[in-house]
Amino acid sequence: MEAVVERGNMFAAWERVKANKGAAGVDGMSVAALLPYLQEHWPQIKEELLAGRYEPSPVRLVEIPKPGGGLRPLGIPTVLDRLIQQALHQVLQPLFDPDFSESSYGFRPGRSAWQAVAQAREYVAGGRRWVVDLDLEKFFDRVNHDLLMARVARKVGDKRVLGLIRRYLQAGVMAGGLMSPRVQGTPQGGPLSPLLSNILLDDLDRELARRGHTFCRYADDCNVYVRTRRAGERVMASLSRFLAVKLKLKVNEAKSAVDRPWRRKFLGYSLTWHKRPRLKVAPASLTRFKEKVRERLRCGRGRNLRRQITELSPLLCGWVSYFRLAEVKGMFETLDGWLRRKLRGILWRQWKRPFTRAKNLMKRGLGEERAWKSATNGRGPWWNAGSAHMNAAFSKRFFDEMGLVSLLDYLRLTQGASGTAVYGTVRTVV
C-alpha cells in the first residue's frame, strides 16, 4: 500500500485519469474538480488507505448498446476511485504481467489486438484449420470474488491491498437512485477490471498450455486452433467443464462454436479460405460500420456537406486504422463508392424541387437538356445518387477536394509502400 500511495505513483495515476477524461460517478465530481479536492482531502484519504479503512463509493450504472444487440452494463466509479484504482493497477501490473501467457494479448502493455489477429492467421496457415471459438456468458458479471481474490493473493501479501480490492469488487451499484449490493462480478468501467480479468483467466491460459493447445486470448474472447472438427469438439466439451468447475464461468453455447476460421470472426477480423489465408474485415464488422455511418448521416441531413464530411472523418480514420491489417482490399473500394453514394443522396434530398436539382446539376457542368431530364426523372434519392448524372456532377475528385477520407487510400497509406502493417498497441472498439 505504501507503493500505491507513493507521490510519484499517484502523480502518474492522476495524469492517466486526466488524459482518459470520462464521466462523473455517483458524486457528480468531474475530472477537473478532482485536483482541488485532493489538495484539501488527500492527507485524510492517504491515512485511510494506509490504515486499511478506505471505503469506495458505489459505481454509477450506465448501459450502452452492444454491437450484436442488447445493452452492456458499465459501472462508472467516482473520479477519486478511478484515481486509486489506477494507482493500484500501476503497482500490481508489473507483479502479474511477466507471468501471463504469451498467447494472452488483451489489456497488456506492448500487446495489441493486431498481434492476436496476426498470430491467429499464422496458426491457420500452419494447418490448424478448425477453431474452437469460446464466448463466456456475461463474464464480467459472473466473476466469483473468492476465486479471484485467491489468485490475487498468490502474489499480493498486503492485507490492506487485498481488502481494498475486495471492497471495490463488492461496492454497490447505483441505478435510478437505488443502490444494489454486488456479490459477484467485476464492473466494466474501472481501471482495475481489465487486470483482474486477466488474473482470473490466466488459469485458463495455463490449462490450455498444459494440454499443448495453440490459442489466442484477448480478454474474455478466446480462440483455440486445432486440426480436425473432432478434436475441436473434444476441446470445446472439456474446456466448458473446466471453466464451470474451476472458475465458475459458463460458456455461451449460442455464441460459441467449433467451425472453420473463415466462418467466424475474431476481434472484428475474419480470414479467407486459402492455404495461406488472408485477413479481411468480418461481415458483422462491416455491417456495424455501415450502420454507424447511416446514423451519423441521418442526424445531419440538413447540414452543409463539408461539415458532414468533417464530422464523419474521425469515424472513417479510426475504423480503417484499426483494420489496417486487412489484406482483402476490394471491400474498402466498394465502401468508398457506397459512402460517396450516401452523400450524393443527401444532396439530392436537400435540393427537393426539380428546378433546384436542374440548376445545381448545371452548376456542376451538366448540359441543360441532360440536367432537366435527370431532375425530372421521378426516381428516388438512392437511385439518383448512383446514377450517371450524379456521378458526373460529383465525382470522386470532388469528394477528395471536400476532404472526404478515402478508405482505400488511407489503408494503403497506413500499411506503407510494402503493404505490411506495423503492429502496435491499439484500443479495441469494434
Side-chain angles (χ1 to χ4, degrees):
M1 186 59 80
E2 281 75 12
V4 172
V5 300
E6 186 267 329
R7 182 180 179 86
N9 186 58
M10 291 303 302
F11 183 78
W14 155 246
E15 290 292 330
R16 187 64 181 268
V17 170
K18 183 172 65 172
N20 288 342
K21 300 178 182 178
V26 294
D27 60 357
M29 185 186 295
S30 66
V31 174
L34 177 60
L35 195 56
Y37 179 84
L38 289 175
Q39 288 170 345
E40 182 178 350
H41 296 95
W42 175 244
Q44 179 186 346
I45 296 168
K46 180 179 179 180
E47 181 184 341
E48 291 177 357
L49 288 168
L50 289 171
R53 297 194 311 266
Y54 179 81
E55 289 291 337
S57 300
V59 298
R60 181 168 65 89
L61 182 65
V62 175
E63 293 182 323
I64 61 172
K66 295 173 70 173
L71 295 173
R72 173 179 286 121
L74 291 183
I76 309 299
T78 64
V79 65
L80 174 60
D81 283 328
R82 292 209 295 274
L83 175 73
I84 296 171
Q85 285 193 36
Q86 180 62 37
L88 277 168
H89 182 277
Q90 291 167 182
V91 172
L92 295 176
Q93 180 88 28
L95 288 176
F96 287 93
D97 192 80
D99 292 330
F100 285 156
S101 168
E102 287 296 310
S103 297
S104 168
Y105 296 90
F107 310 117
R108 298 182 61 191
R111 292 184 156 252
S112 69
W114 292 331
Q115 292 170 330
V117 168
Q119 184 60 69
R121 177 185 56 185
E122 293 307 309
Y123 288 148
V124 177
R128 295 175 173 85
R129 296 174 71 83
W130 289 90
V131 62
V132 181
D133 188 354
L134 281 173
D135 184 272
L136 299 179
E137 189 173 292
K138 297 182 178 178
F139 168 72
F140 284 94
D141 297 332
R142 293 186 171 175
V143 169
N144 183 285
H145 291 173
D146 292 336
L147 287 174
L148 174 57
M149 291 308 303
R151 281 147 183 79
V152 175
R154 291 172 181 171
K155 293 194 175 183
V156 177
D158 191 329
K159 292 184 179 179
R160 297 167 298 178
V161 172
L162 295 173
L164 181 59
I165 293 173
R166 185 176 280 276
R167 288 194 292 277
Y168 272 122
L169 291 173
Q170 296 176 339
V173 177
M174 187 74 76
L178 298 175
M179 192 183 78
S180 304
R182 188 170 57 235
V183 295
Q184 65 177 3
T186 172
Q188 296 183 72
L192 204 53
S193 293
L195 175 60
L196 295 178
S197 70
N198 274 336
I199 290 172
L200 183 64
L201 290 175
D202 187 54
D203 278 25
L204 172 62
D205 298 343
R206 291 174 184 273
E207 179 66 14
L208 288 167
R210 186 184 68 79
R211 298 182 186 185
H213 291 308
T214 52
F215 67 97
C216 295
R217 184 178 66 79
Y218 194 98
D220 59 332
D221 196 349
C222 183
N223 279 5
V224 185
Y225 295 88
V226 295
R227 297 184 183 274
T228 66
R229 175 185 281 277
R230 181 173 292 183
E233 289 170 348
R234 286 198 303 269
V235 170
M236 176 68 81
S238 62
L239 287 181
S240 297
R241 287 194 299 270
F242 172 82
L243 288 164
V245 174
K246 297 292 186 181
L247 299 181
K248 309 297 183 188
L249 297 171
K250 184 179 179 182
V251 172
N252 188 332
E253 295 181 3
K255 295 184 179 179
S256 301
V258 178
D259 206 343
R260 296 291 195 178
W262 45 90
R263 295 186 194 135
R264 307 294 295 180
K265 70 179 180 71
F266 181 51
L267 301 177
Y269 283 86
S270 188
L271 294 166
T272 64
W273 52 267
H274 300 90
K275 185 174 181 180
R276 181 67 186 177
R278 293 181 294 161
L279 288 169
K280 64 178 184 178
V281 179
S285 302
L286 178 60
T287 301
R288 288 199 295 272
F289 170 72
K290 293 176 80 171
E291 187 52 44
K292 284 183 180 179
V293 171
R294 287 190 189 99
E295 186 179 339
R296 295 279 182 96
L297 296 180
R298 201 179 295 127
C299 293
R301 283 181 180 170
R303 293 176 187 164
N304 173 277
L305 184 64
R306 187 180 295 277
R307 181 183 171 190
Q308 286 184 325
I309 289 173
T310 300
E311 293 183 359
L312 202 57
S313 292
L315 171 64
L316 303 182
C317 292
W319 189 81
V320 77
S321 292
Y322 177 74
F323 286 106
R324 68 171 61 180
L325 294 193
E327 297 161 296
V328 179
K329 298 183 174 65
M331 180 272 296
F332 291 90
E333 187 174 7
T334 303
L335 266 182
D336 278 335
W338 177 82
L339 280 166
R340 291 192 293 270
R341 187 171 180 178
K342 291 292 289 184
L343 293 169
R344 292 188 193 107
I346 289 173
L347 287 174
W348 191 262
R349 283 191 182 90
Q350 289 177 347
W351 293 341
K352 294 183 180 178
R353 295 182 302 154
F355 175 80
T356 308
R357 289 168 178 168
K359 182 182 70 173
N360 284 309
L361 287 173
M362 285 187 280
K363 281 183 180 178
R364 292 298 306 164
L366 268 65
E368 183 176 355
E369 181 181 352
R370 186 183 180 190
W372 275 105
K373 185 177 179 181
S374 301
T376 57
N377 60 34
R379 301 276 190 167
W382 183 246
W383 186 92
N384 277 284
S387 64
H389 56 268
M390 284 296 282
N391 274 272
F394 299 96
S395 63
K396 179 182 183 300
R397 184 174 181 178
F398 167 82
F399 287 107
D400 288 343
E401 291 172 353
M402 290 287 286
L404 179 65
V405 174
S406 167
L407 298 176
L408 183 60
D409 293 346
Y410 197 89
L411 179 70
R412 287 171 174 161
L413 179 66
T414 55
Q415 289 185 339
S418 66
T420 303
V422 178
Y423 303 157
T425 303
V426 65
R427 179 177 295 177
T428 309
V429 188
V430 184

